[in-house]
Amino acid sequence: MKTDLFTTAREAMTHAYAPYSKFPVGAALLTDDGRVFSGANIEVASYPEGWCAETTALGHYVMAGGGRIMEICVVAEKMDRITPCGGCRQRLAEFADADTKLHMCDQNGIVETVTMGDILPFGFKGDTLK
Ligand code: THU
């Protein structure tokens, strides 16, 4: 399953629209019932309006009804072991758990796995806002 998730993320990366940074990124999320949602980064000429691969994947996941996220895979064409940016860590943490796995990849597959808790310790949770 891990390899499949990586393959899905790498395939998603081919759909990146990154004419400004020329830094394609792909992401894939696996839910506990086996569904996979993927996305690529999408840039805009007004640079701050673009968004990350993880955010595209989360949009697909939410629109499909959500669910428990078990694993996340992110891959970049020009960087080994990319991890989600700060904003995407917060967005992913909204739907994932501290023990959700985050796979870091090179072009051939997963090279190291950490957890959401590892990459966003002491993250802000919205519990008190409810
Ligand atoms: N990017 C992602 O898609 N995910 C990340 O976690 C880091 C950065 C994208 C945003 C932008 O399109 C490009 O990479 C360069 O920053």
Side-chain angles (χ1 to χ4, degrees), residues 8-85:
T8 301
R10 190 172 57 182
E11 197 281 329
M13 184 172 67
T14 68
H15 298 280
Y17 177 73
Y20 306 107
S21 71
K22 299 186 175 20
F23 191 85
V25 182
L29 317 173
L30 171 69
T31 57
D32 63 350
D33 54 3
R35 291 171 299 142
V36 172
F37 303 98
S38 64
N41 52 330
I42 299 172
E43 298 180 349
V44 175
S46 178
Y47 296 167
E49 305 307 328
W51 62 93
C52 291
E54 296 91 327
T55 300
T56 304
L58 278 172
H60 289 300
Y61 154 87
V62 170
M63 292 306 291
R68 183 158 188 227
I69 299 176
M70 304 303 287
E71 301 182 34
I72 302 163
C73 197
V74 187
V75 61
E77 191 180 279
K78 296 179 178 172
M79 181 181 175
D80 289 345
R81 298 156 67 104
I82 187 171
T83 55
C85 75

Side-chain angles (χ1 to χ4, degrees), residues 6 72-75 80-84 89 101-106 109-115 119:
F6 167 73
I72 302 163
C73 197
V74 187
V75 61
D80 289 345
R81 298 156 67 104
I82 187 171
T83 55
R89 290 176 197 212
K101 292 175 181 166
L102 183 277
H103 302 299
M104 297 188 279
C105 309
D106 62 17
I110 294 163
V111 294
E112 188 177 344
T113 298
V114 294
T115 67
I119 66 164

